[in-house]
Amino acid sequence: NAGVTQTPKFRILKIGQSMTLQCAQDMNHNYMYWYRQDPGMGLKLIYYSVGAGITDKGEVPNGYNVSRSTTEDFPLRLELAAPSQTSVYFCASSSPGTGTEKLFFGSGTQLSVL
Amino acid sequence: AQKITQTQPGMFVQEKEAVTLDCTYDTSDPSYGLFWYKQPSSGEMIFLIYQGSYDQQNATEGRYSLNFQKARKSANLVISASQLGDSAMYFCAMREGNTNAGKSTFGDGTTLTVKP
């Protein structure tokens, strides 16, 4: 059981470049999330989705876009990369009504913008 | 105001001893959930334990227990019989409400170092 799969694991971007971080889950979870973790800090929510076709902003959405065309996939798009977007990005999923709704995390993408 | 506060940036514990990691939270929602996650140096996030706001008893999972004091809005993690593999960063998180898309807010974490 793969769980939540994120690609790539590492990426270096130049200022102004764009890229898409991929995220897929095979647990049929309705809820999916993108978080970023800056060095020595906790996770901050960028965007989330409660189902295919439905997305909404989290705490730090500026500079990012998402889409959710299927239950399984939730890609995160960075347009015009800036040094402030240097961070580790985590995709996560959860299932409502399970009691805990704990987050299942991908292994993370370490992104550097130079 | 911070919704989740972890006041201990770093903690040290001797192997085989118990350690408590502090977490206080702030919410006006009567329904919420509290989580602890572990992040080893390899970077992955590992779920440890969950406490619901209506749960009468403190949650336990093996060597992990959650000391839930609702009136004080604290949810401290207790690790018993520490092992070298417990060295990691630990995050407290909160999910508010029942219809909030499961969104969790995280504290800034506590780095635990277990000494042999």
Side-chain angles (χ1 to χ4, degrees):
Chain A
N1 197 352
V4 180
T5 303
Q6 278 184 248
T7 55
K9 291 193 182 301
F10 303 94
R11 185 72 186 267
I12 298 174
L13 284 182
K14 294 183 179 178
I15 295 172
Q17 287 186 321
S18 300
M19 76 164 293
T20 299
L21 279 65
Q22 302 291 344
C23 176
Q25 53 93 7
D26 62 359
M27 297 172 284
N28 202 32
H29 285 172
N30 287 333
Y31 296 167
M32 294 189 75
Y33 317 85
W34 276 104
Y35 285 90
R36 60 176 284 173
Q37 182 182 23
D38 297 331
M41 306 292 286
L43 280 66
K44 294 193 186 305
L45 183 64
I46 305 172
Y47 269 95
Y48 66 98
S49 168
V50 299
I54 306 170
T55 63
D56 207 346
K57 295 177 180 179
E59 185 183 356
V60 289
N62 291 344
Y64 307 95
N65 276 302
V66 294
S67 59
R68 184 108 181 260
S69 56
T70 67
T71 298
E72 293 78 20
D73 299 301
F74 191 41
L76 177 73
R77 178 83 177 160
L78 278 74
E79 304 281 2
L80 298 175
S84 61
Q85 293 178 304
T86 294
S87 191
V88 179
Y89 292 83
F90 286 99
C91 179
S93 70
S94 71
S95 184
T98 56
T100 68
E101 292 179 20
K102 67 181 182 183
L103 297 176
F104 292 79
F105 285 90
S107 57
T109 296
Q110 188 157 346
L111 175 68
S112 296
V113 181
L114 305 174
Chain B
Q2 284 267 57
K3 290 201 170 186
I4 296 287
T5 303
Q6 295 181 252
T7 56
Q8 307 154 313
M11 287 282 286
F12 291 90
V13 65
Q14 207 66 37
E15 193 179 7
K16 299 181 185 176
E17 293 187 349
V19 62
T20 298
L21 306 184
D22 294 342
C23 173
T24 58
Y25 59 92
D26 183 29
T27 182
S28 58
D29 198 314
S31 176
Y32 53 90
L34 296 157
F35 304 81
W36 279 91
Y37 292 89
K38 174 183 178 181
Q39 187 178 42
S41 58
S42 52
E44 73 266 33
M45 295 288 288
I46 302 166
F47 166 77
L48 294 178
I49 196 165
Y50 166 82
Q51 180 84 42
S53 59
Y54 295 120
D55 293 343
Q56 295 296 313
Q57 292 190 320
N58 287 344
T60 60
E61 290 283 354
R63 293 185 301 109
Y64 304 108
S65 60
L66 201 152
N67 185 0
F68 182 44
Q69 298 190 40
K70 197 169 183 176
R72 298 177 63 181
K73 293 190 175 178
S74 75
N76 299 339
L77 177 70
V78 181
I79 306 174
S80 63
S82 297
Q83 302 172 355
L84 296 178
D86 293 334
S87 292
M89 195 147 186
Y90 289 81
F91 292 99
C92 180
M94 176 175 63
R95 168 186 55 75
E96 294 177 275
N98 285 324
T99 58
N100 199 24
K103 294 180 290 180
S104 287
T105 303
F106 286 77
D108 287 337
T110 295
T111 301
L112 176 67
T113 303
V114 180
K115 295 181 176 180

